[in-house]
Amino acid sequence: MHVLILGGTGDARRLAEALVGGWAGVRVTTSLAGRVARPRALAGEVRIGGFGGADGLARWIVEHGVTAVVDATHPFAEAISRSAAEAAAATGVPLLALRRPGWAAGPGDRWHPVASLAAAAAALPALAGPGGRVFLTTGRQGLAAFAALDGLWFLVRTVEPPEPPLPRRAHCFLDRGPYTAEAETALLREHRVGVLVTKDSGGAATAPKLVAARELVLPVVIVRRPPPPPGVPSVAEPADVVPWLRRLPGPA
């Protein structure tokens, strides 16, 4: 069995470790898009770079004898998830999506769900007010959606250096989770942040900023996830992938 993991998330890394360390005879390849210059170490084989769309992914699957694909990309990686669904359909190779659950608002949360980054930018002037200060944690891609908001000040956190266009009044810094609620609260206080903007990526590594926002009674603009490709089964935890693999026909 050759399992191709479409990675880039902590769940993908944990899945590769579980398969390589606990299932003899299984070949595991994790594919990374290459957007992070120094990715964390991964178990098994690693390939870096795009496939060239659904057709290129289908060719790679056939040429490398892939018998199962697990889409463990970020919930907002729409293009590769769509390509995976099309390539799996074209090749007949089973596809499973590994998607951690999204976050759920609790008592005291002041969430403002929106459908896109553009909608998040449109909501900010009213929420932040003139000269408001915004903590932007939506990743380095898509910052252009906020570039025209000259009346606001942005604290921008990314893993890799962002590329222009950026908001004119922005302080950018690089950091990678996991974070703690205490550190996130201190960060928000230090920079006198009035609004948090984030994507609903789910998971525990970056959730402490939501706890900090609740503690400080701050509004949170949260971008909803795009819908997954239709017809693709999904599980929530890396441990749930192994039973799915064992049920597949073949040498497993």
Side-chain angles (χ1 to χ4, degrees), residues 109-158:
D109 285 325
R110 299 175 59 198
W111 287 12
H112 299 264
V114 296
S116 65
L117 291 175
L124 281 179
L127 288 173
R133 301 170 71 85
V134 179
F135 186 23
L136 195 56
T137 65
T138 55
R140 68 187 179 115
Q141 295 183 310
L143 293 177
F146 305 90
L149 297 177
D150 292 342
L152 301 178
W153 181 90
F154 291 89
L155 179 65
V156 181
R157 179 169 67 194
T158 59

Side-chain angles (χ1 to χ4, degrees), residues 1-2 16-17 22 38 47 57 62 69 78 88 101 109 114 116 119-121 137 141 146 150 154 158 164 171 234 241:
M1 175 173 280
H2 182 190
E17 292 172 354
R38 290 177 293 177
R47 72 168 301 278
L57 176 54
V62 173
V69 179
E78 294 179 80
D109 285 325
V114 296
S116 65
T137 65
Q141 295 183 310
F146 305 90
D150 292 342
F154 291 89
T158 59
H171 171 69
S234 66
V241 176

Side-chain angles (χ1 to χ4, degrees), residues 82-252:
R82 186 167 54 249
S83 292
E86 295 174 5
T91 59
V93 170
L95 169 66
L96 180 71
L98 174 56
R99 288 287 182 271
R100 57 183 180 250
W103 292 315
D109 285 325
R110 299 175 59 198
W111 287 12
H112 299 264
V114 296
S116 65
L117 291 175
L124 281 179
L127 288 173
R133 301 170 71 85
V134 179
F135 186 23
L136 195 56
T137 65
T138 55
R140 68 187 179 115
Q141 295 183 310
L143 293 177
F146 305 90
L149 297 177
D150 292 342
L152 301 178
W153 181 90
F154 291 89
L155 179 65
V156 181
R157 179 169 67 194
T158 59
V159 175
E160 295 288 318
E163 298 179 358
L166 304 172
R168 182 175 63 84
R169 301 173 62 211
H171 171 69
C172 302
F173 71 105
L174 306 183
D175 199 5
R176 187 202 300 258
Y179 306 102
T180 66
E182 293 78 11
E184 296 287 69
T185 301
L187 181 69
L188 294 174
R189 282 179 170 150
E190 175 188 356
H191 293 279
R192 295 177 284 116
V193 168
V195 182
L196 168 66
V197 182
T198 189
K199 293 178 176 178
D200 182 15
S201 57
T206 59
K209 61 191 171 187
L210 301 173
V211 178
R214 183 188 311 127
E215 174 71 19
L216 299 175
V217 199
L218 300 182
V220 178
V221 180
I222 186 162
V223 182
R224 291 189 293 262
R225 295 179 176 192
V232 178
S234 66
V235 295
E237 300 292 339
D240 298 328
V241 176
V242 173
W244 176 81
L245 288 172
R246 291 195 181 277
R247 290 194 297 268
L248 298 179

